[in-house]
Amino acid sequence: MGELLLIRHGETTWSASHRHTSYTDLELTPDGERQARALGALLAGRRFARVLSSPRQRAVRTAQLAGLGVEATDPDLAEWNYGEYEGRTTADVHAENPHWNLWADGAPGGESPAQVGERADRVLAAIAPLLDRGTVALVGHGHSLRVIGARWIGLPPSAGGLLRLDTTTVSVLGHEHGRRVILRWNQPALPPSGSADRTARH
């Protein structure tokens, strides 16, 4: 049984400023491109039965710079639809709605946790037979990949809120004694530089 690699895209201007980014199709920053190239060294020696990406250019470009051959894009790997909160930071939203929690409430005009969970379940069902042939890589986004991680180990979509995921990181899902487990989570392509905040949290 192969492993499942979750790869979050490199930095964009909005991720650097902690702005929620879903359908807005941003390019990588120069730092994001540098981070994405560093993924190539982190993934060196791995062979993949399949590489799938979100259709957003920040994910596809990250895969290309990392040397991954994307065989298909899947809209179910797109980021959580933030609806009215697209482009806004959590701090900005909390100024008007201090009790808002994406993982419990979803986004007005966008998706609920259950809807993102349904997408994650479709992705996992689709790649299940591919894992019999080897390792699969999914290139995508912070929140949607966190939901995939939670669903892999049988937790509700909201549990993704407990799995911090930084830009340009690799997480590895697999099996132990026949059970689905998280083997490694949030491994950076590059070591953190000084005190800079590279988390790109929203």
Coordinates of all heavy atoms in Angstrom, one line a residue, residues 56-143:
R56 N -6.1 25.6 -9.4 CA -5.6 26.9 -9.2 C -4.1 27.0 -9.6 O -3.3 26.1 -9.2 CB -5.8 27.4 -7.8 CG -7.2 27.3 -7.3 CD -8.1 28.4 -8.0 NE -9.5 28.3 -7.5 CZ -10.5 27.7 -8.2 NH1 -10.3 27.3 -9.4 NH2 -11.7 27.7 -7.6
Q57 N -3.7 28.1 -10.2 CA -2.4 28.2 -10.8 C -1.3 28.1 -9.7 O -0.2 27.6 -9.9 CB -2.2 29.4 -11.6 CG -2.4 30.7 -10.9 CD -2.0 31.9 -11.8 OE1 -1.1 31.9 -12.6 NE2 -2.8 33.0 -11.6
R58 N -1.6 28.6 -8.5 CA -0.6 28.5 -7.4 C -0.2 27.1 -7.0 O 0.9 26.8 -6.6 CB -1.1 29.3 -6.2 CG -2.4 28.9 -5.6 CD -2.9 29.9 -4.6 NE -4.1 29.6 -3.9 CZ -5.3 29.8 -4.3 NH1 -5.5 30.4 -5.5 NH2 -6.4 29.5 -3.6
A59 N -1.2 26.2 -7.2 CA -1.0 24.8 -6.9 C -0.3 24.1 -8.1 O 0.7 23.4 -7.9 CB -2.3 24.0 -6.6
V60 N -0.8 24.3 -9.3 CA -0.2 23.7 -10.5 C 1.3 24.2 -10.6 O 2.2 23.4 -10.9 CB -1.0 24.1 -11.7 CG1 -0.3 23.6 -13.0 CG2 -2.4 23.5 -11.6
R61 N 1.5 25.5 -10.4 CA 2.9 26.0 -10.6 C 3.8 25.4 -9.5 O 5.0 25.1 -9.8 CB 2.9 27.5 -10.5 CG 4.2 28.2 -10.7 CD 4.8 27.9 -12.1 NE 6.0 28.7 -12.3 CZ 6.9 28.3 -13.2 NH1 6.8 27.2 -13.9 NH2 8.0 29.1 -13.3
T62 N 3.3 25.3 -8.3 CA 4.1 24.7 -7.3 C 4.6 23.2 -7.7 O 5.7 22.9 -7.5 CB 3.4 24.6 -5.9 OG1 3.1 25.9 -5.5 CG2 4.1 23.8 -4.9
A63 N 3.6 22.5 -8.2 CA 4.0 21.1 -8.6 C 5.0 21.1 -9.8 O 6.0 20.4 -9.7 CB 2.7 20.4 -9.1
Q64 N 4.8 22.0 -10.7 CA 5.8 22.1 -11.8 C 7.2 22.4 -11.3 O 8.2 21.8 -11.7 CB 5.3 23.2 -12.8 CG 4.0 22.8 -13.6 CD 3.5 24.0 -14.4 OE1 3.8 25.1 -14.2 NE2 2.7 23.6 -15.4
L65 N 7.3 23.5 -10.5 CA 8.6 23.9 -10.0 C 9.3 22.8 -9.1 O 10.5 22.7 -9.0 CB 8.5 25.2 -9.2 CG 8.1 26.4 -10.0 CD1 7.9 27.6 -9.1 CD2 9.2 26.7 -11.0
A66 N 8.4 22.0 -8.5 CA 9.0 20.9 -7.7 C 9.3 19.6 -8.5 O 9.8 18.7 -7.9 CB 7.9 20.5 -6.6
G67 N 9.1 19.7 -9.8 CA 9.4 18.6 -10.7 C 8.4 17.5 -10.7 O 8.7 16.4 -11.1
L68 N 7.2 17.8 -10.2 CA 6.1 16.8 -10.2 C 5.3 16.9 -11.5 O 4.9 18.0 -11.9 CB 5.2 17.0 -9.0 CG 5.8 16.9 -7.7 CD1 4.8 17.3 -6.6 CD2 6.2 15.5 -7.4
G69 N 5.1 15.8 -12.1 CA 4.3 15.7 -13.4 C 2.8 15.6 -13.0 O 2.3 14.5 -12.7
V70 N 2.1 16.7 -13.1 CA 0.6 16.6 -12.7 C -0.1 15.9 -13.9 O 0.0 16.4 -15.0 CB 0.1 18.1 -12.5 CG1 -1.4 18.0 -12.4 CG2 0.8 18.7 -11.3
E71 N -0.8 14.9 -13.5 CA -1.5 14.1 -14.6 C -2.9 14.6 -14.8 O -3.5 14.4 -15.8 CB -1.5 12.6 -14.2 CG -0.1 12.0 -14.1 CD -0.1 10.7 -13.4 OE1 -0.6 9.7 -14.0 OE2 0.5 10.6 -12.3
A72 N -3.5 15.3 -13.7 CA -4.8 15.8 -13.9 C -5.1 16.8 -12.8 O -4.4 16.8 -11.7 CB -5.9 14.7 -13.8
T73 N -6.0 17.7 -13.0 CA -6.4 18.6 -11.9 C -7.8 18.2 -11.5 O -8.6 17.6 -12.3 CB -6.5 20.1 -12.4 OG1 -7.3 20.2 -13.5 CG2 -5.1 20.6 -12.8
D74 N -8.1 18.4 -10.2 CA -9.4 18.0 -9.7 C -10.0 19.1 -8.9 O -9.4 19.6 -8.0 CB -9.1 16.8 -8.7 CG -10.4 16.2 -8.2 OD1 -11.5 16.8 -8.3 OD2 -10.4 15.0 -7.7
P75 N -11.2 19.6 -9.3 CA -11.8 20.7 -8.6 C -12.1 20.4 -7.2 O -12.3 21.3 -6.4 CB -13.1 20.9 -9.4 CG -13.4 19.7 -10.2 CD -12.0 19.1 -10.5
D76 N -12.2 19.1 -6.8 CA -12.4 18.8 -5.4 C -11.2 19.1 -4.5 O -11.3 19.1 -3.3 CB -12.8 17.3 -5.2 CG -14.3 17.0 -5.6 OD1 -15.1 18.0 -5.4 OD2 -14.6 15.9 -5.9
L77 N -10.1 19.4 -5.2 CA -8.9 19.8 -4.4 C -8.7 21.3 -4.3 O -7.8 21.8 -3.7 CB -7.6 19.2 -5.1 CG -7.4 17.7 -5.0 CD1 -6.2 17.3 -5.8 CD2 -7.1 17.4 -3.5
A78 N -9.7 22.0 -4.8 CA -9.7 23.5 -4.7 C -9.8 23.9 -3.2 O -10.3 23.1 -2.4 CB -10.8 24.1 -5.5
E79 N -9.4 25.1 -2.9 CA -9.5 25.5 -1.5 C -11.0 25.7 -1.1 O -11.9 25.9 -1.9 CB -8.7 26.8 -1.4 CG -8.7 27.4 0.0 CD -8.1 26.5 1.1 OE1 -8.7 25.5 1.4 OE2 -7.1 26.9 1.7
W80 N -11.2 25.7 0.2 CA -12.5 26.0 0.8 C -13.0 27.3 0.2 O -12.3 28.3 0.2 CB -12.2 26.2 2.3 CG -13.4 26.1 3.2 CD1 -14.6 26.8 3.1 CD2 -13.5 25.4 4.5 NE1 -15.4 26.6 4.1 CE2 -14.8 25.7 5.0 CE3 -12.6 24.6 5.2 CZ2 -15.2 25.2 6.2 CZ3 -13.1 24.1 6.4 CH2 -14.3 24.4 6.9
N81 N -14.2 27.3 -0.2 CA -14.9 28.5 -0.7 C -15.2 29.4 0.4 O -16.1 29.1 1.2 CB -16.1 28.1 -1.6 CG -16.7 29.3 -2.3 OD1 -16.5 30.5 -1.8 ND2 -17.3 29.1 -3.4
Y82 N -14.6 30.6 0.5 CA -14.8 31.5 1.6 C -15.9 32.5 1.4 O -16.2 33.3 2.3 CB -13.5 32.2 1.9 CG -12.3 31.3 2.3 CD1 -11.2 31.4 1.5 CD2 -12.4 30.5 3.4 CE1 -10.1 30.6 1.8 CE2 -11.3 29.6 3.7 CZ -10.2 29.7 2.9 OH -9.1 28.9 3.2
G83 N -16.6 32.4 0.2 CA -17.7 33.2 0.0 C -17.4 34.7 0.3 O -16.5 35.3 -0.3
E84 N -18.2 35.3 1.2 CA -18.1 36.7 1.4 C -16.8 37.1 2.1 O -16.4 38.3 2.2 CB -19.3 37.2 2.3 CG -20.6 37.1 1.6 CD -21.8 37.3 2.6 OE1 -21.5 38.0 3.6 OE2 -22.9 36.9 2.3
Y85 N -16.1 36.1 2.7 CA -14.9 36.4 3.4 C -13.6 36.2 2.5 O -12.5 36.3 3.0 CB -14.7 35.5 4.6 CG -15.8 35.8 5.7 CD1 -16.1 34.9 6.7 CD2 -16.4 37.0 5.7 CE1 -17.0 35.2 7.6 CE2 -17.4 37.3 6.7 CZ -17.7 36.4 7.6 OH -18.6 36.7 8.6
E86 N -13.8 36.0 1.2 CA -12.7 35.9 0.3 C -11.9 37.2 0.3 O -12.4 38.3 0.3 CB -13.2 35.7 -1.1 CG -12.1 35.6 -2.2 CD -11.4 34.2 -2.3 OE1 -11.7 33.3 -1.5 OE2 -10.5 34.1 -3.2
G87 N -10.6 37.0 0.5 CA -9.7 38.2 0.5 C -9.5 38.9 1.8 O -8.8 39.8 1.9
R88 N -10.3 38.4 2.8 CA -10.2 39.0 4.1 C -9.4 38.2 5.1 O -9.3 37.0 5.0 CB -11.6 39.3 4.7 CG -12.5 40.1 3.8 CD -13.9 40.3 4.3 NE -13.9 41.1 5.6 CZ -15.0 41.3 6.3 NH1 -16.2 40.9 5.9 NH2 -14.9 42.0 7.4
T89 N -8.9 38.8 6.1 CA -8.1 38.1 7.2 C -9.1 37.7 8.3 O -10.2 38.3 8.5 CB -7.0 39.0 7.8 OG1 -7.6 40.1 8.5 CG2 -6.1 39.5 6.7
T90 N -8.7 36.7 9.1 CA -9.5 36.4 10.2 C -9.7 37.5 11.2 O -10.7 37.8 11.8 CB -8.9 35.1 10.9 OG1 -8.9 34.0 10.0 CG2 -9.7 34.8 12.2
A91 N -8.6 38.3 11.4 CA -8.7 39.4 12.3 C -9.7 40.4 11.8 O -10.4 41.0 12.6 CB -7.3 40.1 12.5
D92 N -9.7 40.7 10.5 CA -10.7 41.6 10.0 C -12.1 41.1 10.2 O -13.0 41.9 10.6 CB -10.4 41.8 8.5 CG -11.4 42.7 7.8 OD1 -11.8 43.7 8.4 OD2 -11.7 42.4 6.6
V93 N -12.3 39.8 9.9 CA -13.7 39.3 10.1 C -14.1 39.3 11.6 O -15.2 39.7 12.0 CB -13.8 37.8 9.6 CG1 -15.1 37.2 10.0 CG2 -13.5 37.8 8.1
H94 N -13.1 39.0 12.5 CA -13.5 39.0 13.9 C -13.8 40.4 14.5 O -14.5 40.6 15.5 CB -12.3 38.5 14.7 CG -12.3 37.0 14.7 ND1 -11.2 36.2 15.2 CD2 -13.2 36.0 14.3 CE1 -11.4 34.9 15.0 NE2 -12.6 34.8 14.5
A95 N -13.3 41.5 13.7 CA -13.7 42.8 14.2 C -15.2 43.1 14.1 O -15.7 43.9 14.9 CB -12.9 43.8 13.3
E96 N -15.8 42.4 13.2 CA -17.3 42.6 13.0 C -18.1 41.3 13.5 O -19.3 41.4 13.8 CB -17.7 42.9 11.6 CG -17.4 41.7 10.6 CD -17.7 42.1 9.2 OE1 -17.3 43.2 8.7 OE2 -18.3 41.3 8.5
N97 N -17.4 40.2 13.6 CA -18.1 39.0 14.0 C -17.1 38.2 14.9 O -16.5 37.2 14.4 CB -18.5 38.1 12.8 CG -19.3 36.9 13.2 OD1 -19.5 36.6 14.4 ND2 -19.6 36.1 12.2
P98 N -16.9 38.6 16.2 CA -15.8 38.1 17.0 C -15.9 36.6 17.3 O -14.9 35.9 17.7 CB -15.9 38.9 18.3 CG -17.3 39.5 18.3 CD -17.7 39.7 16.9
H99 N -17.1 36.0 17.1 CA -17.3 34.6 17.5 C -17.1 33.7 16.2 O -17.3 32.4 16.4 CB -18.6 34.4 18.1 CG -18.8 35.2 19.4 ND1 -18.0 34.9 20.5 CD2 -19.6 36.2 19.7 CE1 -18.3 35.8 21.5 NE2 -19.3 36.6 21.0
W100 N -16.8 34.2 15.1 CA -16.8 33.4 13.9 C -15.6 32.4 13.9 O -14.5 32.7 14.3 CB -16.6 34.3 12.6 CG -16.5 33.5 11.4 CD1 -17.4 32.7 10.8 CD2 -15.3 33.3 10.6 NE1 -16.9 32.1 9.6 CE2 -15.6 32.5 9.5 CE3 -14.0 33.9 10.7 CZ2 -14.6 32.1 8.5 CZ3 -13.1 33.6 9.7 CH2 -13.4 32.7 8.6
N101 N -15.9 31.2 13.5 CA -14.9 30.1 13.5 C -15.2 29.3 12.2 O -16.2 28.7 12.0 CB -15.1 29.2 14.7 CG -14.1 28.0 14.7 OD1 -13.5 27.7 13.7 ND2 -14.0 27.3 15.8
L102 N -14.3 29.4 11.2 CA -14.5 28.7 10.0 C -14.8 27.3 10.1 O -15.7 26.7 9.4 CB -13.2 28.9 9.1 CG -13.2 28.1 7.8 CD1 -14.2 28.8 6.8 CD2 -11.8 28.1 7.2
W103 N -14.1 26.6 11.1 CA -14.2 25.2 11.2 C -15.5 24.7 11.8 O -15.9 23.6 11.6 CB -13.1 24.6 12.1 CG -11.7 25.0 11.5 CD1 -10.9 26.0 11.8 CD2 -11.1 24.2 10.4 NE1 -9.8 26.0 10.9 CE2 -9.9 24.9 10.1 CE3 -11.5 23.1 9.7 CZ2 -9.1 24.5 9.1 CZ3 -10.6 22.7 8.7 CH2 -9.4 23.3 8.4
A104 N -16.2 25.6 12.5 CA -17.6 25.3 13.0 C -18.7 25.9 12.1 O -19.7 25.3 11.9 CB -17.7 25.8 14.4
D105 N -18.4 27.1 11.6 CA -19.5 27.9 11.0 C -19.4 27.9 9.5 O -20.4 28.3 8.8 CB -19.4 29.4 11.5 CG -19.4 29.5 13.0 OD1 -20.1 28.7 13.6 OD2 -18.7 30.4 13.5
G106 N -18.3 27.6 8.9 CA -18.2 27.7 7.4 C -18.1 29.2 7.1 O -17.8 30.1 7.9
A107 N -18.4 29.5 5.8 CA -18.3 30.9 5.4 C -19.6 31.4 4.7 O -20.2 30.6 3.9 CB -17.1 31.1 4.4
P108 N -20.1 32.5 5.1 CA -21.4 33.0 4.5 C -21.2 33.2 3.0 O -20.2 33.8 2.5 CB -21.6 34.4 5.2 CG -20.3 34.8 5.7 CD -19.5 33.5 6.0
G109 N -22.1 32.6 2.2 CA -22.0 32.6 0.8 C -21.0 31.6 0.2 O -20.8 31.6 -1.0
G110 N -20.4 30.9 1.1 CA -19.4 29.9 0.6 C -19.7 28.5 1.1 O -20.9 28.1 1.1
E111 N -18.7 27.7 1.6 CA -18.9 26.3 1.9 C -19.0 26.1 3.4 O -18.3 26.9 4.2 CB -17.8 25.5 1.3 CG -17.9 25.3 -0.2 CD -16.8 24.4 -0.7 OE1 -15.6 24.8 -0.5 OE2 -17.1 23.3 -1.2
S112 N -19.7 25.1 3.8 CA -19.8 24.7 5.2 C -18.7 23.6 5.4 O -18.2 23.0 4.4 CB -21.1 24.0 5.5 OG -21.3 22.8 4.8
P113 N -18.3 23.3 6.7 CA -17.4 22.2 6.9 C -17.8 20.9 6.3 O -17.0 20.2 5.7 CB -17.3 22.1 8.4 CG -17.6 23.5 8.9 CD -18.6 24.0 7.9
A114 N -19.1 20.6 6.4 CA -19.6 19.4 5.8 C -19.4 19.3 4.3 O -19.1 18.2 3.8 CB -21.1 19.2 6.2
Q115 N -19.6 20.4 3.6 CA -19.5 20.4 2.2 C -18.0 20.2 1.8 O -17.7 19.5 0.8 CB -20.0 21.8 1.6 CG -21.5 21.9 1.6 CD -21.9 23.3 1.2 OE1 -21.4 24.3 1.7 NE2 -22.9 23.3 0.3
V116 N -17.1 20.8 2.5 CA -15.7 20.6 2.2 C -15.3 19.1 2.5 O -14.5 18.5 1.8 CB -14.8 21.6 3.0 CG1 -13.3 21.4 2.6 CG2 -15.2 23.0 2.6
G117 N -15.9 18.6 3.6 CA -15.7 17.2 4.0 C -16.2 16.3 2.9 O -15.5 15.2 2.6
E118 N -17.3 16.6 2.2 CA -17.8 15.7 1.2 C -16.8 15.7 0.0 O -16.6 14.7 -0.6 CB -19.2 16.2 0.7 CG -20.3 16.0 1.7 CD -21.6 16.7 1.3 OE1 -21.6 17.4 0.2 OE2 -22.5 16.6 2.1
R119 N -16.2 16.9 -0.3 CA -15.2 16.9 -1.4 C -14.0 16.1 -1.0 O -13.4 15.3 -1.8 CB -14.8 18.4 -1.6 CG -15.8 19.2 -2.3 CD -15.2 20.4 -3.0 NE -14.9 21.5 -2.2 CZ -13.7 22.0 -2.0 NH1 -12.7 21.5 -2.6 NH2 -13.5 23.1 -1.3
A120 N -13.6 16.2 0.3 CA -12.4 15.4 0.7 C -12.7 13.9 0.6 O -11.8 13.2 0.2 CB -12.1 15.8 2.2
D121 N -13.9 13.5 1.0 CA -14.2 12.1 0.9 C -14.2 11.6 -0.5 O -13.8 10.5 -0.8 CB -15.6 11.9 1.5 CG -15.6 12.0 3.1 OD1 -14.5 12.0 3.6 OD2 -16.6 12.1 3.7
R122 N -14.7 12.5 -1.5 CA -14.6 12.1 -2.9 C -13.2 11.9 -3.4 O -12.9 10.9 -4.1 CB -15.4 13.1 -3.8 CG -16.9 13.1 -3.6 CD -17.5 13.8 -4.8 NE -17.2 15.2 -4.8 CZ -17.9 16.2 -4.3 NH1 -19.0 15.9 -3.6 NH2 -17.6 17.5 -4.4
V123 N -12.3 12.8 -3.0 CA -10.9 12.7 -3.3 C -10.3 11.3 -2.8 O -9.7 10.6 -3.5 CB -10.1 13.9 -2.8 CG1 -8.6 13.6 -3.0 CG2 -10.5 15.1 -3.6
L124 N -10.6 11.1 -1.5 CA -10.0 9.9 -0.9 C -10.6 8.6 -1.6 O -9.9 7.6 -1.7 CB -10.3 9.9 0.6 CG -9.5 11.0 1.4 CD1 -9.9 11.0 2.8 CD2 -8.0 10.8 1.2
A125 N -11.9 8.6 -1.9 CA -12.4 7.4 -2.6 C -11.8 7.2 -3.9 O -11.6 6.1 -4.4 CB -14.0 7.6 -2.7
A126 N -11.6 8.3 -4.6 CA -11.0 8.2 -6.0 C -9.6 7.7 -6.0 O -9.2 7.0 -6.9 CB -11.1 9.6 -6.7
I127 N -8.8 8.1 -5.0 CA -7.4 7.7 -5.0 C -7.2 6.4 -4.3 O -6.1 5.8 -4.4 CB -6.5 8.8 -4.4 CG1 -6.8 9.1 -3.0 CG2 -6.6 10.0 -5.3 CD1 -5.9 8.4 -2.0
A128 N -8.2 5.8 -3.6 CA -8.0 4.6 -2.9 C -7.4 3.5 -3.7 O -6.4 2.8 -3.3 CB -9.3 4.2 -2.2
P129 N -8.0 3.2 -4.9 CA -7.4 2.1 -5.7 C -6.0 2.4 -6.3 O -5.2 1.5 -6.5 CB -8.4 2.0 -6.9 CG -9.2 3.2 -6.9 CD -9.2 3.7 -5.5
L130 N -5.7 3.7 -6.4 CA -4.4 4.1 -6.9 C -3.3 3.8 -5.9 O -2.1 3.5 -6.2 CB -4.3 5.6 -7.2 CG -5.3 6.1 -8.3 CD1 -5.3 7.6 -8.4 CD2 -5.0 5.4 -9.6
L131 N -3.6 3.8 -4.6 CA -2.7 3.5 -3.5 C -2.2 2.1 -3.5 O -1.1 1.8 -3.0 CB -3.2 3.9 -2.2 CG -3.5 5.4 -1.9 CD1 -4.2 5.6 -0.6 CD2 -2.1 6.1 -1.9
D132 N -3.0 1.2 -4.2 CA -2.6 -0.2 -4.3 C -1.4 -0.3 -5.3 O -0.7 -1.3 -5.2 CB -3.7 -1.0 -4.8 CG -4.8 -1.2 -3.8 OD1 -4.5 -1.2 -2.6 OD2 -6.0 -1.5 -4.2
R133 N -1.2 0.8 -6.1 CA -0.1 0.7 -7.1 C 1.1 1.6 -6.7 O 2.1 1.5 -7.3 CB -0.7 1.3 -8.4 CG -1.8 0.4 -9.0 CD -2.5 1.0 -10.2 NE -1.9 2.1 -10.9 CZ -2.6 3.0 -11.5 NH1 -3.9 3.0 -11.5 NH2 -1.9 4.0 -12.1
G134 N 0.9 2.3 -5.6 CA 2.1 3.1 -5.1 C 1.6 4.4 -4.4 O 0.5 4.5 -4.1
T135 N 2.6 5.3 -4.3 CA 2.4 6.6 -3.6 C 1.6 7.6 -4.5 O 1.9 7.7 -5.7 CB 3.7 7.2 -3.1 OG1 4.3 6.3 -2.2 CG2 3.5 8.5 -2.5
V136 N 0.7 8.3 -3.9 CA -0.1 9.3 -4.6 C 0.2 10.7 -4.0 O 0.4 10.8 -2.8 CB -1.6 9.0 -4.5 CG1 -2.4 10.2 -5.1 CG2 -1.9 7.7 -5.3
A137 N 0.4 11.7 -4.8 CA 0.6 13.1 -4.3 C -0.6 14.0 -4.7 O -1.1 13.9 -5.8 CB 1.9 13.7 -4.9
L138 N -1.0 14.7 -3.7 CA -2.1 15.7 -3.9 C -1.5 17.1 -3.6 O -1.0 17.3 -2.6 CB -3.3 15.4 -3.0 CG -3.9 14.1 -3.0 CD1 -5.1 14.0 -2.0 CD2 -4.5 13.8 -4.4
V139 N -1.6 18.0 -4.6 CA -1.1 19.3 -4.5 C -2.3 20.3 -4.3 O -3.1 20.4 -5.2 CB -0.2 19.7 -5.7 CG1 0.5 21.1 -5.4 CG2 0.8 18.7 -5.9
G140 N -2.3 21.0 -3.2 CA -3.5 21.8 -3.0 C -3.3 23.0 -2.0 O -2.2 23.6 -2.0
H141 N -4.2 23.1 -1.1 CA -4.3 24.4 -0.3 C -4.5 24.0 1.2 O -4.9 22.9 1.6 CB -5.5 25.2 -0.8 CG -5.6 25.4 -2.3 ND1 -5.0 26.4 -2.9 CD2 -6.1 24.6 -3.3 CE1 -5.2 26.3 -4.2 NE2 -5.9 25.2 -4.4
G142 N -4.2 25.0 2.0 CA -4.1 24.8 3.4 C -5.3 24.2 4.1 O -5.3 23.2 4.7
H143 N -6.5 24.8 3.9 CA -7.7 24.4 4.7 C -8.2 23.1 4.1 O -8.6 22.2 4.8 CB -8.7 25.5 4.7 CG -8.4 26.5 5.7 ND1 -8.7 27.9 5.5 CD2 -7.8 26.5 6.9 CE1 -8.3 28.6 6.5 NE2 -7.8 27.8 7.4

